[in-house]
Amino acid sequence: VVGGGLAGAWCAEALARSGRSVTVLDRHTEPAGEASGNPAGLFHATVHAQDHRHSQWHRAAALHVSRRVAPWVADGSVPGAIDGLLRLDADGPPARRAPDLPGVARWLDAAAASAAAGLPVDRGGWWFEAGGWLDPRALVQRLLATPGVRFQGGHEVTRLERGGGGWILRDEGGTPMAEAALLVLATPSCLPSLLASARLACGPALQSVRGQLSLWPEGGLQGPLADLRAPVSGQGYALRRPEGSLLAGATAQHNDDDPQVRAADHAHNVHRLTALLGHAPDASLSWHGRVGWRW
């Protein structure tokens, strides 16, 4: 498996549980070195009035995640919470809503949504009972700890070749790094060049989307934001981790490869946080940012 983020780790864990011996190679020395290294990530099912296959697939994936990670959250090996997530409505009047899905999602009016969030909100939304948040880096580490999985960091694969036993993986100098009968590519930023090196078509073009999140460390939060008790999403998202830090984001800039944290993007996150919850942290509070890319 090339790529030690969430996708690669999930694949490695599933293959190992099926009885295979799996090696995960990553160019970073530690797993989850890119977007999967964010301090927290939200997850929830999907509801839609038409309930098409796209919605059903995402809902099945989210419910699968909640079942699989629940024991790890309970034993503390993966920080997180699976006790509900509020997604505020942005799709128009209630008449256009999908029906409630018992045990999965139910509609809350503004008063009930405020009670669930722990602070006043000005509109209703969906309460996803099996949604919540997870520490993605810890989740990756837990998946890679599965017996039969071996992680090797600091190994950047730049070329693929067909070999007698399957695939030969080479580094930039052409030195063979590994050989395997089955190969999983879970490194989207390198996918086109890797496939081209093996004379394979890449398929639909991949596009990078830069995302910057904002994080206010624990302590210092006052007012309603200090009472936020459930993750809230909509146009943007907000999450308070157990130690008291506040996470909000995130931007979405296509084909932007700037790795630096930008004050303008932080201002954008603050604006969306204010629009979502009606409040933002005091401008004098210190904050940090993190940049990653979706594909």
Side-chain angles (χ1 to χ4, degrees), residues 96-290:
R96 296 174 56 188
R97 290 193 292 105
D100 288 359
L101 295 172
V104 177
R106 56 191 171 92
W107 174 260
L108 303 181
D109 60 20
S114 298
L119 80 178
V121 295
D122 61 3
R123 56 197 182 278
W126 287 103
W127 178 252
F128 293 96
E129 300 174 28
W133 71 275
L134 299 167
D135 182 323
R137 184 185 297 275
L139 176 56
V140 167
Q141 293 171 338
R142 179 63 182 79
L143 292 165
L144 294 178
T146 302
V149 176
R150 179 178 60 163
F151 176 80
Q152 292 185 331
H155 288 67
E156 184 169 8
V157 179
T158 62
R159 200 166 79 214
L160 305 177
E161 292 180 8
R162 294 186 185 274
W167 295 97
I168 300 173
L169 287 65
R170 298 184 183 273
D171 64 15
E172 189 173 7
T175 303
M177 302 172 64
E179 185 170 354
L182 177 63
L183 176 64
V184 176
L185 300 178
T187 175
S189 62
C190 306
L191 190 58
S193 62
L194 288 176
L195 292 176
S197 72
R199 295 184 174 87
L200 296 173
C202 186
L206 293 172
Q207 186 177 55
S208 66
V209 182
R210 179 186 181 276
Q212 178 178 314
L213 56 81
S214 297
L215 176 70
W216 290 265
E218 62 271 20
L221 286 179
Q222 297 180 353
L225 288 177
D227 298 324
L228 181 65
R229 62 169 172 255
V232 179
S233 68
Q235 296 301 311
Y237 63 83
L239 162 70
R240 284 203 69 200
R241 288 173 53 100
E243 84 285 356
S245 62
L246 176 69
L247 183 70
T251 60
Q253 293 118 348
H254 290 257
N255 297 318
D256 183 340
D257 59 2
D258 181 10
Q260 301 301 315
V261 173
R262 301 191 296 229
D265 289 356
H266 174 67
H268 175 81
N269 290 336
V270 171
H271 174 77
R272 292 217 301 181
L273 176 62
T274 305
L276 182 69
L277 296 179
H279 303 276
D282 190 282
S284 65
L285 291 179
S286 63
W287 61 275
H288 305 292
R290 191 176 191 277

